[in-house]
């Protein structure tokens, strides 16, 4: 049984196969109406539970649409519906769900919730996001980079801002896909040492550079993410803005990267905070390609998990 819990926990060859499969499925749909099913229906007769303890736009819609395109059905459940770990233990919830569905995707807060779900489920579990990592997003990002610029191996990716869960999965990907990673941001928001170590152990060159202009010099892709979470207090938001303002991705900063560098952001964005609208809507930006590729990458992940 194949769980998809984190990029560094999945075999590199399997990850490459998922990217290739995602690209093939995307190409096969070219020119077809969005509502039409795939010619191949590998999920016919399958039921997938989509659990959301955190609000979601792209994750919910992309998983729901992708599973339907492949002939499957979805059951979308909120944290309130499930009362995960409150009205019933996570372990018991996992055991019960396994009697009803063929696969579980969960978007949650604590990593331990995901891990416990996977430990006790008898069906594959996919990490739709936790506070620590966001692997599905980075699979879509790798796919997007390679669509525009070819193999990502040996390239330089630069993360600007907060070393958060998306940054963590970028570090995991650096080790598995063979590219280098530079982080630029305040010391208080550095990515976890564990994740830096995992990337370096796999041979990736990981650099911490406080000067954002130096950091993006020679970059093939520059990545940003929102500075604040919807759950942050007002005082926390103000502190983060003060710390992160020097790391805004604007046209001046992008001018230090390679002329053909890409700009990525997983969305939703606070425009003119972490990145200016001029960059987000400019020639370097591939943010909406990333959003679309969540659909295709996740379809490939689901198929790998189910072996279909």
């Amino acid at each position: 049984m194949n769980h998809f819990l984190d990029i560094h926990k999945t075999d590199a060859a399997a990850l490459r196969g998922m990217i290739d499969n995602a690209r093939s499925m995307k190409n096969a749909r070219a020119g077809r109406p969005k509502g039409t099913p795939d010619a191949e229906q590998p999920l016919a007769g399958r039921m997938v539970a989509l659990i959301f303890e955190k609000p979601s736009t792209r994750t919910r819609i992309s998983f729901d649409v992708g599973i339907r395109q492949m002939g499957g059905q979805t059951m979308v459940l909120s944290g309130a519906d499930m009362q995960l770990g409150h009205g019933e233990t996570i372990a018991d919830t996992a055991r019960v769900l396994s009697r009803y569905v063929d696969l579980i995707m969960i978007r949650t807060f604590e990593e331990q919730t995901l891990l416990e779900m996977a430990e006790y489920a008898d069906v594959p579990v996919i990490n739709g996001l936790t506070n620590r990592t966001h692997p599905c997003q980075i699979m879509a990002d790798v796919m997007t980079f390679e669509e525009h610029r070819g193999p990502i191996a040996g390239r330089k990716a630069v993360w600007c801002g907060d070393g958060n869960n998306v940054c963590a999965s970028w570090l995991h990907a650096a080790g598995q896909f063979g590219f280098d990673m530079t982080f630029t941001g305040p010391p208080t928001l550095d990515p976890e040492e564990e994740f830096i170590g995992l990337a370096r152990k796999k041979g990736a060159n990981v650099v911490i550079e406080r000067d954002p202009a130096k950091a993006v010099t020679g970059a093939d892709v520059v990545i940003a993410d929102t500075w604040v979470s919807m759950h942050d207090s007002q005082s926390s938001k103000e502190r983060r803005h003060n710390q992160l303002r020097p790391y805004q991705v604007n046209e001046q900063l992008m001018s230090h990267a390679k002329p053909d560098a890409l700009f990525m952001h997983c969305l939703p964005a606070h425009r003119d905070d972490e990145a200016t609208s001029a960059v987000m809507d400019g020639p370097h930006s591939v943010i909406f390609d990333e959003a679309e590729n969540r659909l295709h990458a996740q379809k490939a992940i689901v198929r790998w998990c189910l072996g279909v």
Side-chain angles (χ1 to χ4, degrees):
M1 182 170 59
N2 293 321
H3 296 305
F4 186 76
L5 304 181
D6 272 315
I7 288 175
H8 70 293
K9 296 178 180 178
T10 307
D11 181 75
L15 295 170
R16 173 51 58 193
M18 288 180 231
I19 297 290
D20 293 343
N21 191 22
R23 187 178 300 114
S24 295
M25 286 189 287
K26 182 178 182 177
N27 292 340
R29 288 193 64 84
R32 303 179 67 189
K34 295 178 179 63
T36 58
D38 290 354
E40 189 179 0
Q41 296 281 277
L43 264 61
R46 305 282 188 134
M47 175 65 73
V48 176
L50 305 176
I51 303 172
F52 294 92
E53 283 200 296
K54 283 191 171 188
S56 170
T57 300
R58 275 150 296 277
T59 300
R60 176 170 179 164
I61 296 171
S62 56
F63 266 109
D64 198 355
V65 170
I67 289 159
R68 291 169 186 261
Q69 286 179 351
M70 295 188 291
Q73 298 183 64
T74 61
M75 179 184 297
V76 180
L77 301 163
S78 72
D81 294 328
M82 303 296 297
Q83 295 187 332
L84 280 173
H86 302 293
E88 182 176 50
T89 67
I90 295 163
D92 285 352
T93 299
R95 292 183 181 108
V96 170
L97 280 177
S98 298
R99 301 294 180 100
Y100 301 142
V101 304
D102 299 286
L103 182 143
I104 299 166
M105 189 290 304
I106 182 168
R107 180 181 176 95
T108 187
F109 293 91
E110 300 303 324
E111 182 184 51
Q112 187 56 40
T113 302
L114 167 77
L115 298 178
E116 193 169 346
M117 184 71 72
E119 181 180 356
Y120 290 97
D122 294 324
V123 297
V125 174
I126 293 175
N127 177 0
L129 175 142
T130 71
N131 287 345
R132 290 193 84 199
T133 60
H134 195 3
C136 290
Q137 177 65 54
I138 278 56
M139 291 294 284
D141 291 349
V142 170
M143 177 183 176
T144 303
F145 181 92
E146 295 193 339
E147 281 182 334
H148 287 268
R149 297 291 182 262
I152 198 169
R155 303 301 190 106
K156 178 182 177 180
V158 178
W159 181 274
C160 294
D162 178 7
N164 62 10
N165 52 355
V166 183
C167 179
S169 287
W170 266 99
L171 285 165
H172 293 160
Q176 296 293 66
F177 287 97
F179 59 89
D180 297 328
M181 187 97 182
T182 296
F183 171 83
T184 186
T188 52
L189 297 175
D190 278 353
E192 292 185 34
E193 283 293 336
E194 176 188 342
F195 299 148
I196 294 172
L198 284 167
R200 286 174 173 164
K201 188 175 180 180
K202 291 279 189 175
N205 182 30
V206 180
V207 174
I208 306 294
E209 172 55 67
R210 302 301 174 197
D211 183 332
K214 290 181 180 177
V216 304
T217 299
D220 294 287
V221 57
V222 178
I223 315 136
D225 193 8
T226 181
W227 289 347
V228 297
S229 166
M230 65 184 72
H231 307 289
D232 289 338
S233 66
Q234 186 58 40
S235 60
S236 174
K237 290 177 181 179
E238 290 173 2
R239 285 196 304 272
R240 280 177 168 268
H241 274 83
N242 290 336
Q243 291 181 79
L244 289 164
R245 202 165 280 117
Y247 299 96
Q248 181 192 69
V249 181
N250 50 41
E251 289 176 296
Q252 181 180 0
L253 186 63
M254 286 299 299
S255 71
H256 294 279
K258 288 183 178 178
D260 65 345
L262 300 180
F263 170 73
M264 290 190 173
H265 191 303
C266 67
L267 302 179
H270 293 84
R271 284 173 174 262
D272 299 312
D273 278 354
E274 64 267 17
T276 60
S277 289
V279 170
M280 294 182 67
D281 298 325
H284 299 283
S285 177
V286 290
I287 61 176
F288 297 111
D289 291 341
E290 292 176 79
E292 178 190 346
N293 284 338
R294 288 290 300 277
L295 171 70
H296 309 295
Q298 288 163 185
K299 286 167 71 173
I301 292 166
V302 168
R303 292 191 67 172
W304 176 78
C305 286
L306 291 172
V308 295

